[in-house]
Amino acid sequence: MTIDEIKQELKQRLEPARYQHSLGVAEAAVRLAERFGVDRNKAELAGLLHDCAREFPQENLIDEAYRRGITVSPIEQVIPFMLHAPIGASRAKELYGVADGEILEAISRHTVGGKGMSVLDKIVYFADMIEENRDYPGVEELRQLAETETLDKMLLAGFDQTLAFVLTKHGLMHQDTVTARNEVIMNLI
């Protein structure tokens, strides 16, 4: 499928606000890809499709994961929302014909991160946080970091903001986020 065909399909499948968010993530991912020397087409496609599984109701995500052979962690049993990322990677392949492993991995990791994140993984993760339609405390600071800091410093700030939010809610932290954050810190030492 072409990018335009994918956009038309997504527009039909996603709620309007989610579709606009996807366009915003694609745009932010392209800007970051250009800044950090990553293939802009891969970044655009991964950003565009990162939330393609958000068409499924949250209560169906565990069944959708099992149907695709995706392992569901105990934390994902409690917070099935986290599964939209790996299900999205599966949907990108089966519905949109994406075969590029880098793109699929970036889609799969955009919510919680993971061990050994690639530059594209990091770009899509961060683009999801800063796209123009996002409005939450601290987003402007993250957007500024996207203009001035290294990718790992940006990502660390994003992880820290996410984890601080989860802590204030006394929520569960996904082990992949903690692993990804620790790796970023190790890269910065």
Side-chain angles (χ1 to χ4, degrees):
M1 295 179 87
T2 68
I3 261 306
D4 287 335
E5 290 169 335
I6 290 170
K7 285 179 181 178
Q8 287 305 310
E9 184 72 23
L10 279 175
K11 191 173 188 177
Q12 298 301 313
R13 292 180 171 275
L14 299 176
E15 296 292 326
R18 181 64 46 199
Y19 176 68
Q20 288 305 313
H21 166 69
S22 296
L23 294 176
V25 173
E27 185 178 304
V30 166
R31 282 195 313 273
L32 292 171
E34 289 171 347
R35 180 162 182 245
F36 293 107
V38 170
D39 183 315
R40 70 182 312 280
N41 295 320
K42 287 184 178 191
E44 180 181 24
L45 187 55
L48 187 61
L49 289 173
H50 82 287
D51 270 353
C52 67
R54 292 293 298 270
E55 70 178 279
F56 296 116
Q58 198 164 187
E59 61 270 13
N60 295 355
L61 290 175
I62 291 174
D63 288 339
E64 288 292 336
Y66 285 139
R67 193 166 70 74
R68 290 172 171 76
I70 296 169
T71 302
V72 179
S73 74
I75 291 173
E76 293 159 343
Q77 287 282 346
V78 176
I79 310 171
F81 165 80
M82 293 177 178
L83 291 167
H84 83 273
I87 294 168
S90 179
R91 293 287 285 170
K93 187 175 184 177
E94 69 192 25
L95 185 62
Y96 299 97
V98 177
D100 187 303
E102 275 187 284
I103 294 169
L104 297 172
E105 185 80 1
I107 293 168
S108 183
R109 293 179 158 200
H110 86 270
T111 302
V112 298
K115 181 178 170 120
M117 290 177 76
S118 71
V119 175
L120 182 61
D121 295 345
K122 293 174 181 182
I123 284 171
V124 174
Y125 182 95
F126 201 76
D128 188 27
M129 297 185 85
I130 66 163
E131 67 92 6
E132 67 184 356
N133 298 299
R134 291 285 197 193
D135 183 21
Y136 58 87
V139 71
E140 287 304 324
E141 290 83 1
L142 293 178
R143 287 179 180 135
Q144 286 194 323
L145 292 177
E147 302 296 323
T148 61
E149 288 297 340
T150 67
L151 185 55
D152 279 344
K153 285 183 181 178
M154 292 163 35
L155 203 61
L156 179 59
F159 283 140
D160 286 353
Q161 191 176 92
T162 298
L163 293 174
F165 176 77
V166 170
L167 285 171
T168 64
K169 301 292 185 188
H170 304 288
L172 293 168
M173 290 187 198
H174 199 285
Q175 62 275 9
D176 289 348
T177 306
V178 174
T179 297
R181 182 182 178 275
N182 285 342
E183 282 188 359
V184 166
I185 292 171
M186 293 297 287
N187 289 340
L188 292 170
I189 293 176

